[in-house]
Amino acid sequence: MTRLTPIFSICVFGVLAMIFANPALASGPDKAETVQWAELVERVERTSPLMDAARSGLDAMEAQLRRADWAKFPSFRLEAGGTPTPEIQTNGFDIDVDWTRWGYFYRVGVTMVQPVYAFGRIHALRAAARSGVDVGKARIDLARWELRVRMAQAYYGAQLARELGAILKDGRGWLEKAQGRMDKLRAADADEYDQMEHLRLKTRSAEFFQLEADQRQLEITSLTGLRLLMSRAASDPVMPAGESLKPLELGELKVERLITAMEEHQPKLRMAQAAGRAKSALADSKSSELWPQVVFVADASVNDSNVLSTEGTLIEGETIGYSIAVLLGMRWNLDVPQRLAVRDQARAEASAAVSEASAARDLAELEVRRIHQTLLDKRELIEIYARSKKAAQGWLTAAWDTHDAGFGSFRNVMDALLQFYGKRLAHLKAVHEYNIMVHELSRAVGADVTQLSAASKKK
């Protein structure tokens, strides 16, 4: 006789126990909106706060790039000021102040600075900003693939809960037939009646309330996750469309093809590489700060007052009038020791960032290879469970017919029942895990592996 492990028996009998505890499990929330996978993806990526945060981060990086681009254009500074003043008259060195009469004095000045040559500083800042934009784009993709995995967990989890509900409905007939058969044998005081087996049938399901709670938690967690991912209120539930839980179509994918796609698309790897480029550019910028910056400077100012007057030329033009100046200037911070230390620190940080990007590439490859192999094993396991499920169904039918004819033991029927529903549950669980793992592989690669598979088929 085949002996089943305790956990395997718990899983099957726990599911059978839920027949009476929650017969409407598969029906889902009342008046819940159904959603297809493609619609779910579109709506979540459009409304998710995680995507909004990533897009805002890209906006900030693009603003920094615009700021760096404008560094090569002239900058302007406007300074203006005014004050009340008593009437002042000057005549040579004589100054006459009349405190009984007041007026105004103001000055307006505009200064323009046009960079001419900065020893590569502006170019380095622009390169760093462009790498920052690359980081922002990679963060959006990172958020997108992270959400895909979360959507898969919620969507396929809800489908699994619904499929289990269908199994419960189908299993009710078997359980009722077994209970009815034992009741008839006991009433007829038949020799084949086994009181121990009857008591076992009645009492064993009471041990599996924890599995029932886990099942309900799966349904609640999955449906709540779907609703929250779609940014909907608790009064506006949602559930997956009515299709059954099936393995995602995925053709043959060679791991080398996945590694190539990973090197091009993987968001974390792209972020690490862009961060390395940005810090290297910033290090170049710090090096250029050791040298002067050549600029054109233009300055224009206007002064005016209704109570200040001059006679002669001593202070004329300093208090009332205008001035214009254009000159070639130089800006140079001569704090060389500090600048050298800052440059060396920036270079060390850039070197560390480049090394981290190389390490990130190796870790990304390891993750892709691991998930790819696990996915292949899981797909093979799905096929094995499918065949085993068919064999267990034939065993159950034969065992029940033999028992019904009075030649077989009830224990054989129960063993066959455990195997049949156990294999159905194991098959569904394997499909559920496989579908989620497909999206985990897409996240590890940074691209939709189902599309890569389709492209490989065309080739």
Side-chain angles (χ1 to χ4, degrees), residues 14 18 208-220:
M18 285 187 289
F208 312 111
F209 289 121
Q210 182 59 52
L211 183 62
E212 175 187 351
D214 293 341
Q215 163 63 19
R216 290 175 177 173
Q217 185 177 15
L218 172 63
E219 182 184 37
I220 293 173

Side-chain angles (χ1 to χ4, degrees), residues 18 24 27 36 86 105 118 168 176 182 187 189 271 275 314 361 367-368 384 400 409 427 442:
M18 285 187 289
S27 61
Q36 300 282 350
F105 170 80
L168 301 181
E176 290 177 349
M182 295 299 290
D189 198 19
M271 288 172 60
L314 181 61
R361 189 261 171 218
E367 182 70 0
V368 169
I384 293 174
W400 179 261
S409 67
H427 180 261
S442 295

Side-chain angles (χ1 to χ4, degrees), residues 15 45-46 90 143 164 176 193 201 207 223 255 281 294 341 366 433:
V15 169
E45 291 187 0
R46 177 166 45 86
T90 64
L164 290 178
E176 290 177 349
Y193 174 72
L201 176 65
E207 302 172 8
L223 294 179
V255 69
V294 180
L366 177 63
E433 294 174 349

Side-chain angles (χ1 to χ4, degrees), residues 414-430:
M414 290 302 299
D415 287 341
L417 189 67
L418 286 169
Q419 286 291 340
F420 174 61
Y421 283 102
K423 292 302 182 292
R424 289 186 67 182
L425 289 172
H427 180 261
L428 282 173
K429 181 182 178 182

Side-chain angles (χ1 to χ4, degrees), residues 312-366:
T313 59
L314 181 61
I315 58 175
E316 186 175 2
E318 296 182 10
T319 57
I320 301 174
Y322 64 88
S323 65
I324 298 176
V326 179
L327 64 153
L328 183 66
M330 180 181 69
R331 293 176 174 176
W332 198 353
N333 189 325
L334 296 178
D335 190 4
V336 177
Q338 288 285 346
R339 294 290 172 178
L340 283 172
V342 170
R343 182 203 63 181
D344 293 342
Q345 179 183 350
R347 286 180 174 178
E349 291 176 352
S351 178
V354 172
S355 298
E356 288 173 358
S358 178
R361 189 261 171 218
D362 294 339
L363 291 175
E365 178 181 349
L366 177 63

Side-chain angles (χ1 to χ4, degrees), residues 196-415:
M196 297 297 294
E197 292 296 336
H198 197 184
L199 293 174
R200 180 187 179 202
L201 176 65
K202 286 183 175 181
T203 62
R204 192 169 183 179
S205 61
E207 302 172 8
F208 312 111
F209 289 121
Q210 182 59 52
L211 183 62
E212 175 187 351
D214 293 341
Q215 163 63 19
R216 290 175 177 173
Q217 185 177 15
L218 172 63
E219 182 184 37
I220 293 173
T221 301
S222 299
L223 294 179
T224 303
L226 279 178
R227 178 179 61 79
L228 294 176
L229 283 168
M230 297 179 67
S231 304
R232 298 164 69 104
S235 59
D236 195 12
V238 64
M239 63 187 304
E243 68 269 13
S244 59
L245 180 61
K246 296 179 180 179
L248 293 174
E249 294 186 6
L250 186 63
E252 196 66 30
L253 267 182
K254 294 185 177 181
V255 69
E256 291 77 12
R257 174 76 175 89
L258 296 175
I259 296 300
T260 301
M262 175 211 75
E263 292 175 339
E264 181 180 358
H265 300 291
Q266 215 285 332
K268 288 184 179 180
L269 180 57
R270 287 162 49 201
M271 288 172 60
Q273 292 171 342
R277 294 193 302 270
K279 290 188 176 182
S280 296
L282 289 175
D284 294 339
S285 174
K286 297 302 180 182
S287 297
S288 68
E289 290 180 2
L290 293 170
W291 303 97
Q293 184 178 13
V294 180
V295 296
F296 272 122
V297 179
D299 182 85
S301 63
V302 175
N303 310 303
D304 193 14
S305 175
N306 65 343
V307 292
L308 300 181
S309 63
T310 63
E311 296 180 8
T313 59
L314 181 61
I315 58 175
E316 186 175 2
E318 296 182 10
T319 57
I320 301 174
Y322 64 88
S323 65
I324 298 176
V326 179
L327 64 153
L328 183 66
M330 180 181 69
R331 293 176 174 176
W332 198 353
N333 189 325
L334 296 178
D335 190 4
V336 177
Q338 288 285 346
R339 294 290 172 178
L340 283 172
V342 170
R343 182 203 63 181
D344 293 342
Q345 179 183 350
R347 286 180 174 178
E349 291 176 352
S351 178
V354 172
S355 298
E356 288 173 358
S358 178
R361 189 261 171 218
D362 294 339
L363 291 175
E365 178 181 349
L366 177 63
E367 182 70 0
V368 169
R369 291 184 181 275
R370 181 190 69 80
I371 297 178
H372 177 259
Q373 184 58 49
T374 307
L375 195 64
L376 294 180
D377 295 339
K378 189 67 66 175
R379 181 159 59 182
E380 183 178 358
L381 190 61
I382 289 174
E383 297 174 356
I384 293 174
Y385 277 135
R387 294 193 298 267
S388 181
K389 183 176 62 174
K390 291 182 180 179
Q393 185 175 11
W395 178 16
L396 176 59
T397 301
W400 179 261
D401 291 342
T402 302
H403 175 68
D404 196 43
F407 298 103
S409 67
F410 180 74
R411 181 178 291 273
N412 289 336
V413 175
M414 290 302 299
D415 287 341

